[in-house]
Amino acid sequence: MTSSISRFPVPETLDSLPDDIRDAILAVQEKAGFVPNVFLMLAQRPTEFRAFFAYHDALMERESDTLTKAEKEMIVVATSARNHCLYCVVAHGALVRIYSKDPLLADQVAINHRTAPISERHRVMLDFAIYCSIEVGELNDEWEARLIEVGFTREDIWDIGAVAAFFGLSNRLVNLTGTPPNAEFYLMGRVPRGK
Amino acid sequence: MTSSISRFPVPETLDSLPDDIRDAILAVQEKAGFVPNVFLMLAQRPTEFRAFFAYHDALMERESDTLTKAEKEMIVVATSARNHCLYCVVAHGALVRIYSKDPLLADQVAINHRTAPISERHRVMLDFAIYCSIEVGELNDEWEARLIEVGFTREDIWDIGAVAAFFGLSNRLVNLTGTPPNAEFYLMGRVPRGK
Amino acid sequence: MTSSISRFPVPETLDSLPDDIRDAILAVQEKAGFVPNVFLMLAQRPTEFRAFFAYHDALMERESDTLTKAEKEMIVVATSARNHCLYCVVAHGALVRIYSKDPLLADQVAINHRTAPISERHRVMLDFAIYCSIEVGELNDEWEARLIEVGFTREDIWDIGAVAAFFGLSNRLVNLTGTPPNAEFYLMGRVPRGK
Amino acid sequence: MTSSISRFPVPETLDSLPDDIRDAILAVQEKAGFVPNVFLMLAQRPTEFRAFFAYHDALMERESDTLTKAEKEMIVVATSARNHCLYCVVAHGALVRIYSKDPLLADQVAINHRTAPISERHRVMLDFAIYCSIEVGELNDEWEARLIEVGFTREDIWDIGAVAAFFGLSNRLVNLTGTPPNAEFYLMGRVPRGK
Amino acid sequence: MTSSISRFPVPETLDSLPDDIRDAILAVQEKAGFVPNVFLMLAQRPTEFRAFFAYHDALMERESDTLTKAEKEMIVVATSARNHCLYCVVAHGALVRIYSKDPLLADQVAINHRTAPISERHRVMLDFAIYCSIEVGELNDEWEARLIEVGFTREDIWDIGAVAAFFGLSNRLVNLTGTPPNAEFYLMGRVPRGK
Amino acid sequence: MTSSISRFPVPETLDSLPDDIRDAILAVQEKAGFVPNVFLMLAQRPTEFRAFFAYHDALMERESDTLTKAEKEMIVVATSARNHCLYCVVAHGALVRIYSKDPLLADQVAINHRTAPISERHRVMLDFAIYCSIEVGELNDEWEARLIEVGFTREDIWDIGAVAAFFGLSNRLVNLTGTPPNAEFYLMGRVPRGK
C-alpha cells in the first residue's frame, strides 16, 4: 500500500547513525551502487542491525565444504518464496542469477523447484531447505543419508538448515516492516553484461 | 529435470498438424516472434487445443465491464504462483508488465499481493481470485458487496472468478506435462523499449 | 440459500439464445428428459458455453486407450467432492452409477476412495487425480511408473490429469454461480430399471 | 478393498454374545430390518459396545431444548463427510432424509453446507459443528452470541458440540476398522413411501 | 479468560447429584486427594457422565495384549497436544510421569515425539495414534505391518486407535466447556516421592 | 532417539574454544548452575555463536517500551510450541514461570493460549506473535490498531514480531541439531523457592 521503506522509522540522514553502521551502509552503497532497503530498515535498531549482518555474513560468506554461493542463494529464494517475502525473492534472486550465470534459474526456483531443470543434488537440497523452513522438520537419519548421497557433507547440512533458518527470520522482519526490494534488484543478472 | 517442451509427444513439424491449428501457431509466432510452448504441448490433442484457446480467448479477449486486460493478467499471475505453475507466472507476468507498463508489478503480485503497492480495488480483486482458485470458495453476499464497493460490476465478478478457474485448469495441464515457459518471456516488459 | 439456478442471469426463454446453443440445450433435454442446470447457467455467455462443452466433450467422449467412461466419471466425483462442488458430485455420481452399474460406487468414491471396495487400478487412478486436482502436483517418474504398473498408458495419464483439471474449472464455476444440481440427478442409477 | 464388516473379528453367531448385546442387536434388527454393521463391529468388545451406544443414545435420543432430531443428524453428516467417514455419511444421511422428509438435504449437507439451500440457523449450526469437530475450536463469546442469535439455547450449544465430538470418535473407529455402511442405508428416504 | 470449571453449569453441591455419580466423584476424590474438573463439568449431564467414564474405563483399565498403561497415557498426551487440549495434556501428562517413572517424558511427547528419546516402538505407536486422531486415517496393510513389526498385536492396534479416538472426543468436550486442569496435576510425578 | 547434545560435533572441553566463547559459557554456568545445551551446540561455530547470542540479547535484554520480560518469554513459548521445538518450550517455559511468578502459565500458553486464563492484552499479543511466526503474516493497519488498543506502542510491535522471528530461527536450529533441553529446566519455577 506504500512505496516507503518501512512501516517503522528509518534514519533521515546517515549522519545520525553510529559510525560502524554508517560505514557498513556506505560500503554496501559503494559496492552495489545503492543502499539496499533492509540496511535502512534495520538501522533504527543498531544492536539488532549488527547482530543481523554478523549472522548473515557468518553463513553467507562462510567457505562451506561443498555448498556454493549460488546454492546458498537458491536456498534463500526457494524458502523465501514459500514465505511470501518479496524482498528476499527479488534481492537474492538477483544473486542467484549473478552467481549461477543463469538468468532464468531464480524464477524457476522461486515458483516451483520441483519442475525446474535442476540437478538431483539441487532438488534434494531445496526439498530439505523447505522441510527445515516451512515444516520446521527435524534432521533424521533418512534426510542425512539422502543429502550425503548427493554429495553434501555433514557441515554442509548444517549450512543448508542454518541458511533456511536465518532467512526465515529475515522474511518475517520484512513482512513485519513492509520493506520492499529496491527497484534495482529486479533486473540484475537478467541481461548479459556488455549489452 | 528436462528442458524439453512436454513429457508427452509434441509435433515434430507443423506440417503434420490440422490446418486451423497450424494457422493458429503461425499467427502467434508472427505476432510474438516465437511459438509459446503451450501451443506445441496442446497440439497433440487438436480437439482439446481448439477448446482451450477458444475458452482462453472468450475470457481474456472479452470486453469486460470494467475489468482491464492488465487486471486479468494480474489475476493469472497471483493465482498461478499459488499453484506453483512457472509457465503461467512467467508468460503472463510478461503480459502484466506490458499492459500495466509497470516493470515490477508482476513479481510483486506473484510473491505477495498483500504487501504489494496496489490499490484497494486490486487487493480485493486478488483476494477474491485466490479465494476462488485456491479455496474453491462460493460467491456469497459478503464477497459480492466487497467487490462492488471497489467498483466491479456483477459481470466483472463472473470474469474474475472465471479467469481464476480457467487458469487453474491451465496450471494443472502445465504441471502434468512439465511444459516450461519460453526463455523469451522472462525479460519481456522488464526493460524500457527503445533501449 | 436459494433454489434458483444461478446468482447470475439465466435466459428466460430458449428463444433468446443463439441457434447452436438452443439446439444443444434441446438435444440434452430430449436425451435426459430435463435441462441440466449448468447448460442454463452458462447460456448467458455463449462463447464460454461453446468452449466449455467443446472441452467437456473432447475429454469425456474421447475414446481413450484403456480409461473407461465409468473411470472418467469416478475421477470427476472424487475430485469434485474434495472441491465441495455439489453439482458435479450429484450429476456425475449419477453417471458413475449408470456406467458402472454399481448403485453404491459414487457415494463410496465421493466420501473416501481410500476405504472404498475398489481395485488397485482405481485406487492409484484416484490418488493421482486428487494429486493433480488438489495439490496441482507435477507428473514425475514415480507417478508415471505407478500408473503404468496398474495398466494405464501414457495417453491415459494425460486423460486422467486433464479430466481432473477440467472439472476443477467446472467446480469453480459452479461455486461461483451457486448452481445446484437438478433434483432428477440424485436418484438416477440408484434404483434398478424396470422397478 | 474388502466388503467384509471389519478388519477385526466379528461374532460368527449372535449366540456367542452377552445377553444384553444380543438383545440390543435383535432389537435394532427388528426395527430396521437388518443389523447395522457398527453393531457387529463393536460386538467383539462388549464393554466398549455398551459405552458407545449408551453415549450415542444419551445425545441422540435426548429431548434437547430446541435442537431437533433432523438437526442432530445434519451435524453428523456434515462433520463425518469432512472426516471422510462413509459409514456415518450414508447411515446418518438416511436419517437426515427420513427426519427432514427432504430427500436431497443429506447430500447437500455432506458435500457443501455453505451452498446448500438451508436456513441461517442451520448454516451457523453447521459452521459451529465443523469448527468443533475439525478445528477442535474452543467455545468463546462470539460463537455463543452467534448461536443464540439464531435461536439456540446454551444447552443446545452443548448438544451441538457434543454430537460433533461423539461422531468424531465414531468416524475414527469406522476408519480404523474399515466398516462399510450396509447397502440398505443408501436408498432409505430417497424414494417416497408408497411407491 | 476464566478460572472457573466450565462455561456450563456445574453442581453447587454433591448432594444434588444422583447417587452413583456422587459416589464416583467421592471415590476419585479419596484416591487423588481432589476432584478432577472433568468430573464436575460432566456431572450436569448424568447420562453422558456415565457413558463417558464407562468408555474411558473400558479402554484405559483394559488389560491389553502388550500395550501398557504408560503407553496409553503417552497416546493421550501426544494426540491431545495436537488438539490443543490443555486439560488432557496436563492431567494425563501427570499419569505418563507416574506410570513411566520418567519425569521428562510427558513434555517430550507433548511437544514433539519425533525428537523425543523414545524407542522405535513408541515412535511408530505415536505416529499411528496421530494419524488416527488428526488425519482420521484408515488402517491399512502398511500400517498394520509396521505396528506388528514393533511388537503390537492386532488387538493392541484397536486399542491404540480407540484411545486416540476417545480422547479426541474428550479434547473437544474440554474445549467446548473451557474446563481447565486442576492445579494439582501440573506438578505430579515431576518431583521424586520422599522429597 | 539420542540423549546427546547435538547431531553435530560439540567441544569436548571448553579449553579448545575461543576465549570469548569460553567466557560466555562459564558466565552462564555460574549464573544458572549448568551449561544450557544450546551454548554447546553452537560452540562449534564461533561466528554463528557470537551473532546468535548478540541477537538474542539485543531483543531479550532490551528495555522495551511496555513489553515485559515475562511477556517476551510467553511469546517464545507460544510460538515454539507451534514449531514443535522442545528445547525452547522447556527452557523458556522455565523463564515464563520465573518472571511471571505463575507456575502454571507456561504450560497454558504452550498448549493453547486461546483457552488460557490470560488478559486481552496477552491474548492479542500471542495471536499476533503466532501470525508472524507461523503464517509469516504482514503487519497491516488492522493488526496495528488491535495491538495499540491493548496498550502496546509501535516499538513494542517491532519487539513482538522480532522475538517471534528470532525464536523461529532458534526453533529450526534446535530441530536441525536435535538438541534437547537440559533436565534442570523442566522443574524450574514450578516449586516455590524455600521448599
Side-chain angles (χ1 to χ4, degrees):
Chain A
M1 298 299 170
T2 170
S3 59
S4 75
I5 284 170
S6 173
R7 290 180 72 99
F8 294 86
V10 292
E12 293 196 23
T13 69
L14 297 187
D15 297 339
S16 61
L17 295 173
D19 286 357
D20 62 321
I21 289 176
R22 186 177 55 246
D23 290 351
I25 289 175
L26 291 173
V28 71
Q29 186 175 31
E30 177 146 338
K31 188 175 169 194
F34 60 94
V35 182
N37 288 335
V38 286
F39 283 80
L40 299 176
M41 175 262 276
L42 274 164
Q44 74 137 340
R45 295 273 185 123
T47 323
E48 295 166 44
F49 179 107
R50 291 177 194 112
F52 181 92
F53 288 107
Y55 214 141
H56 176 279
D57 294 351
L59 293 169
M60 302 307 277
E61 301 191 353
R62 183 173 200 272
E63 189 82 20
S64 294
D65 284 355
T66 79
L67 193 68
T68 68
K69 273 181 178 302
E71 287 172 334
K72 288 179 186 175
E73 299 295 342
M74 289 170 71
I75 292 168
V76 179
V77 169
T79 56
S80 298
R82 297 287 181 129
N83 280 334
H84 303 290
C85 175
L86 183 71
Y87 188 96
C88 293
V89 170
V90 171
H92 292 270
L95 295 176
V96 165
R97 290 188 292 268
I98 290 168
Y99 290 139
S100 72
K101 297 186 170 43
D102 179 343
L104 311 187
L105 183 58
D107 292 340
Q108 292 164 346
V109 162
I111 301 303
N112 193 342
H113 77 279
R114 293 294 186 98
T115 58
I118 56 176
S119 66
E120 181 68 8
R121 172 180 168 98
H122 288 168
R123 162 84 181 257
V124 173
M125 175 186 81
L126 295 177
D127 279 349
F128 181 65
I130 287 170
Y131 169 76
C132 291
S133 175
I134 307 304
E135 300 180 44
V136 201
E138 79 282 358
L139 178 58
N140 55 29
D141 294 344
E142 292 84 350
W143 271 114
E144 191 169 308
R146 286 181 61 193
L147 287 155
I148 284 175
E149 194 182 335
V150 294
F152 293 109
T153 66
R154 297 184 76 245
E155 294 297 316
D156 286 334
I157 295 173
W158 174 295
D159 290 338
I160 295 170
V163 168
F166 177 78
F167 280 90
L169 158 64
S170 181
N171 299 161
R172 284 163 178 83
L173 291 183
V174 165
N175 282 356
L176 178 71
T177 56
T179 301
N182 303 60
E184 289 87 343
F185 283 124
Y186 287 80
L187 206 56
M188 286 170 65
R190 291 191 182 273
V191 190
R193 299 260 177 147
K195 277 202 179 175
Chain B
M1 300 295 172
T2 170
S3 58
S4 75
I5 285 171
S6 173
R7 290 180 72 100
F8 294 87
V10 291
E12 293 195 23
T13 69
L14 297 186
D15 297 340
S16 62
L17 295 173
D19 287 358
D20 63 322
I21 289 176
R22 187 177 55 245
D23 290 350
I25 290 175
L26 291 172
V28 71
Q29 186 176 31
E30 178 146 335
K31 188 175 169 194
F34 60 93
V35 182
N37 287 335
V38 285
F39 283 80
L40 298 176
M41 174 264 275
L42 274 164
Q44 74 138 340
R45 294 273 185 125
T47 322
E48 295 166 44
F49 180 107
R50 290 179 194 110
F52 182 91
F53 288 106
Y55 214 141
H56 175 280
D57 294 351
L59 293 169
M60 302 307 278
E61 301 191 352
R62 185 172 198 271
E63 189 81 22
S64 294
D65 284 355
T66 78
L67 193 70
T68 67
K69 272 182 180 302
E71 288 172 333
K72 288 179 185 175
E73 299 295 340
M74 289 170 71
I75 293 167
V76 178
V77 168
T79 56
S80 297
R82 298 285 181 128
N83 280 332
H84 303 289
C85 175
L86 182 73
Y87 188 96
C88 293
V89 170
V90 171
H92 292 270
L95 296 176
V96 165
R97 290 188 293 268
I98 290 168
Y99 290 140
S100 71
K101 296 185 172 40
D102 179 343
L104 311 187
L105 183 57
D107 292 340
Q108 292 165 345
V109 162
I111 301 304
N112 193 343
H113 77 279
R114 293 292 187 100
T115 58
I118 56 176
S119 66
E120 181 67 9
R121 171 181 167 100
H122 288 167
R123 162 89 179 254
V124 174
M125 174 185 81
L126 295 178
D127 278 350
F128 181 66
I130 287 170
Y131 169 76
C132 290
S133 176
I134 306 304
E135 299 180 44
V136 202
E138 78 283 357
L139 178 57
N140 55 30
D141 294 344
E142 291 85 348
W143 271 114
E144 192 169 307
R146 286 181 60 195
L147 287 155
I148 284 173
E149 194 181 335
V150 294
F152 293 109
T153 67
R154 298 185 75 246
E155 292 298 317
D156 286 334
I157 295 173
W158 174 295
D159 290 339
I160 295 170
V163 169
F166 177 77
F167 280 90
L169 158 63
S170 183
N171 298 162
R172 285 163 177 83
L173 290 183
V174 165
N175 281 357
L176 178 70
T177 57
T179 300
N182 303 59
E184 289 87 344
F185 284 123
Y186 287 80
L187 206 55
M188 286 171 66
R190 291 191 182 272
V191 192
R193 299 262 177 148
K195 279 205 179 170
Chain C
M1 301 296 172
T2 170
S3 59
S4 74
I5 285 171
S6 173
R7 290 180 73 100
F8 294 87
V10 291
E12 292 195 24
T13 69
L14 297 187
D15 297 340
S16 61
L17 295 173
D19 286 358
D20 62 323
I21 288 175
R22 188 176 54 244
D23 290 352
I25 289 175
L26 292 173
V28 71
Q29 186 176 32
E30 176 146 340
K31 190 175 168 194
F34 60 93
V35 182
N37 287 335
V38 287
F39 284 79
L40 298 176
M41 175 262 276
L42 275 163
Q44 74 138 341
R45 295 275 184 122
T47 323
E48 294 165 46
F49 179 107
R50 289 178 194 112
F52 181 91
F53 287 107
Y55 213 141
H56 175 279
D57 293 352
L59 293 170
M60 302 306 277
E61 301 191 352
R62 184 173 198 271
E63 188 82 21
S64 295
D65 285 355
T66 79
L67 193 69
T68 67
K69 273 181 179 300
E71 287 173 333
K72 288 179 185 174
E73 299 295 341
M74 289 170 71
I75 293 167
V76 178
V77 168
T79 56
S80 298
R82 298 285 182 129
N83 281 332
H84 302 289
C85 175
L86 183 72
Y87 187 97
C88 293
V89 170
V90 171
H92 292 271
L95 295 176
V96 165
R97 290 188 292 269
I98 289 168
Y99 290 141
S100 71
K101 296 186 170 44
D102 179 344
L104 311 187
L105 183 58
D107 292 340
Q108 292 165 344
V109 162
I111 302 303
N112 193 342
H113 78 279
R114 292 293 187 99
T115 58
I118 57 177
S119 66
E120 181 67 9
R121 171 180 169 100
H122 288 167
R123 163 87 180 255
V124 174
M125 175 185 81
L126 295 177
D127 278 350
F128 181 66
I130 287 169
Y131 169 77
C132 291
S133 175
I134 307 305
E135 300 180 42
V136 202
E138 79 281 357
L139 179 56
N140 54 29
D141 294 345
E142 291 84 350
W143 271 114
E144 191 169 308
R146 285 181 61 194
L147 287 155
I148 284 174
E149 194 181 334
V150 294
F152 292 110
T153 67
R154 297 184 75 245
E155 293 298 317
D156 287 333
I157 295 173
W158 174 295
D159 290 338
I160 295 170
V163 168
F166 177 78
F167 280 91
L169 158 63
S170 181
N171 298 161
R172 285 164 178 81
L173 290 183
V174 165
N175 281 357
L176 178 71
T177 57
T179 301
N182 305 59
E184 289 88 343
F185 284 123
Y186 286 80
L187 206 56
M188 285 170 65
R190 291 191 183 272
V191 191
R193 300 259 177 149
K195 276 202 180 173
Chain D
M1 300 292 173
T2 170
S3 58
S4 76
I5 285 171
S6 173
R7 289 179 74 98
F8 293 87
V10 292
E12 293 196 22
T13 70
L14 298 186
D15 297 340
S16 60
L17 295 173
D19 286 358
D20 62 322
I21 289 177
R22 186 177 54 244
D23 290 351
I25 290 175
L26 291 173
V28 70
Q29 185 175 34
E30 176 147 338
K31 188 176 170 193
F34 60 94
V35 181
N37 287 334
V38 286
F39 284 78
L40 299 176
M41 175 262 275
L42 274 162
Q44 74 137 341
R45 295 271 185 125
T47 323
E48 296 166 44
F49 180 107
R50 290 179 195 112
F52 181 91
F53 288 107
Y55 215 141
H56 175 279
D57 293 351
L59 293 169
M60 302 306 278
E61 301 192 352
R62 185 172 198 270
E63 189 81 21
S64 294
D65 284 355
T66 78
L67 193 68
T68 68
K69 274 182 180 300
E71 288 172 333
K72 288 179 186 176
E73 298 296 340
M74 290 170 70
I75 293 167
V76 179
V77 168
T79 55
S80 298
R82 298 286 181 128
N83 280 332
H84 301 291
C85 175
L86 182 72
Y87 188 96
C88 293
V89 170
V90 170
H92 291 271
L95 295 176
V96 166
R97 290 187 293 268
I98 289 168
Y99 290 140
S100 71
K101 297 187 169 45
D102 179 343
L104 311 187
L105 182 58
D107 292 340
Q108 292 164 345
V109 162
I111 302 303
N112 193 341
H113 77 279
R114 293 292 187 100
T115 58
I118 57 176
S119 66
E120 182 67 6
R121 172 182 168 98
H122 287 167
R123 162 86 180 256
V124 173
M125 174 186 80
L126 295 178
D127 279 351
F128 181 66
I130 287 170
Y131 169 76
C132 290
S133 176
I134 306 305
E135 300 180 42
V136 201
E138 78 282 357
L139 179 57
N140 54 30
D141 295 344
E142 291 84 350
W143 270 114
E144 192 169 308
R146 286 180 61 193
L147 286 155
I148 283 174
E149 194 182 334
V150 295
F152 293 109
T153 67
R154 298 184 74 245
E155 293 298 316
D156 286 334
I157 295 173
W158 174 295
D159 291 338
I160 296 170
V163 169
F166 177 78
F167 280 91
L169 158 63
S170 182
N171 299 161
R172 285 164 176 82
L173 290 183
V174 165
N175 281 357
L176 179 70
T177 56
T179 301
N182 304 58
E184 289 87 344
F185 284 122
Y186 287 80
L187 205 56
M188 285 170 66
R190 292 191 182 273
V191 191
R193 299 259 177 149
K195 275 202 181 173
Chain E
M1 300 299 171
T2 172
S3 59
S4 74
I5 284 171
S6 173
R7 291 180 72 99
F8 294 87
V10 291
E12 294 195 22
T13 69
L14 297 187
D15 297 341
S16 62
L17 294 174
D19 286 357
D20 62 322
I21 289 176
R22 187 176 55 244
D23 290 350
I25 290 175
L26 291 173
V28 72
Q29 186 176 30
E30 177 147 337
K31 189 175 169 193
F34 60 93
V35 182
N37 288 334
V38 286
F39 284 79
L40 299 176
M41 175 262 276
L42 273 163
Q44 73 138 341
R45 295 272 186 123
T47 324
E48 295 166 45
F49 180 106
R50 290 178 195 113
F52 181 91
F53 288 107
Y55 215 141
H56 175 279
D57 294 351
L59 293 169
M60 302 306 277
E61 301 191 352
R62 185 173 197 270
E63 189 81 22
S64 294
D65 284 356
T66 79
L67 194 69
T68 67
K69 273 181 179 301
E71 288 172 334
K72 288 179 186 175
E73 299 296 340
M74 291 170 70
I75 293 167
V76 178
V77 169
T79 55
S80 298
R82 299 285 181 129
N83 281 333
H84 303 289
C85 175
L86 182 72
Y87 188 97
C88 293
V89 170
V90 171
H92 291 270
L95 296 176
V96 165
R97 290 188 292 268
I98 290 168
Y99 290 140
S100 71
K101 298 186 171 42
D102 179 344
L104 312 186
L105 183 58
D107 292 340
Q108 293 165 344
V109 161
I111 301 302
N112 193 342
H113 77 278
R114 293 293 187 101
T115 58
I118 56 176
S119 66
E120 181 69 9
R121 172 182 168 97
H122 288 167
R123 162 87 181 256
V124 173
M125 175 186 80
L126 295 177
D127 279 350
F128 181 65
I130 287 170
Y131 169 76
C132 291
S133 176
I134 307 305
E135 300 181 43
V136 201
E138 79 281 358
L139 178 57
N140 55 30
D141 294 346
E142 290 85 348
W143 271 113
E144 192 169 308
R146 286 181 61 194
L147 286 156
I148 284 174
E149 194 181 335
V150 293
F152 293 109
T153 67
R154 298 185 73 245
E155 293 298 316
D156 286 332
I157 295 173
W158 174 296
D159 290 337
I160 296 169
V163 169
F166 177 78
F167 280 91
L169 157 63
S170 182
N171 297 161
R172 285 163 177 82
L173 290 183
V174 166
N175 282 357
L176 178 70
T177 57
T179 300
N182 304 59
E184 289 87 344
F185 284 123
Y186 287 79
L187 206 55
M188 286 169 66
R190 292 192 182 270
V191 191
R193 299 259 178 149
K195 277 199 181 178
Chain F
M1 302 295 173
T2 170
S3 58
S4 74
I5 285 171
S6 173
R7 291 180 72 101
F8 295 87
V10 291
E12 293 196 24
T13 70
L14 297 186
D15 296 340
S16 61
L17 294 173
D19 286 358
D20 63 322
I21 289 176
R22 187 177 54 244
D23 290 349
I25 290 175
L26 291 173
V28 70
Q29 187 176 30
E30 178 147 336
K31 187 175 169 194
F34 60 94
V35 182
N37 288 333
V38 286
F39 284 79
L40 299 176
M41 175 263 275
L42 274 162
Q44 73 136 343
R45 295 273 185 123
T47 323
E48 295 166 45
F49 180 106
R50 290 180 193 109
F52 181 91
F53 287 107
Y55 214 140
H56 175 278
D57 293 351
L59 292 169
M60 302 306 277
E61 301 191 353
R62 183 173 200 272
E63 190 81 20
S64 294
D65 285 356
T66 79
L67 193 68
T68 68
K69 273 182 180 300
E71 288 173 332
K72 288 179 186 175
E73 299 296 340
M74 289 170 71
I75 293 167
V76 178
V77 169
T79 56
S80 298
R82 298 286 181 129
N83 280 333
H84 302 290
C85 175
L86 182 72
Y87 188 96
C88 294
V89 170
V90 171
H92 292 270
L95 296 176
V96 165
R97 289 188 293 268
I98 290 167
Y99 290 140
S100 71
K101 297 187 171 43
D102 179 343
L104 311 187
L105 183 58
D107 293 340
Q108 291 165 346
V109 161
I111 301 303
N112 193 342
H113 78 279
R114 295 291 188 101
T115 58
I118 56 175
S119 66
E120 182 68 7
R121 171 181 168 98
H122 288 168
R123 162 85 181 257
V124 173
M125 175 187 79
L126 295 178
D127 279 350
F128 180 65
I130 287 170
Y131 169 76
C132 291
S133 175
I134 307 304
E135 300 180 42
V136 201
E138 79 281 357
L139 178 58
N140 54 30
D141 294 344
E142 291 83 349
W143 271 113
E144 193 169 306
R146 285 181 61 193
L147 286 155
I148 283 173
E149 193 182 335
V150 294
F152 293 109
T153 67
R154 297 184 76 247
E155 293 298 317
D156 286 334
I157 295 173
W158 174 296
D159 290 338
I160 297 170
V163 169
F166 177 78
F167 280 90
L169 157 63
S170 182
N171 298 160
R172 284 164 177 82
L173 290 183
V174 165
N175 281 357
L176 178 70
T177 57
T179 300
N182 303 58
E184 289 87 343
F185 284 123
Y186 286 81
L187 205 55
M188 286 169 67
R190 291 191 183 272
V191 191
R193 299 256 176 152
K195 278 203 180 173

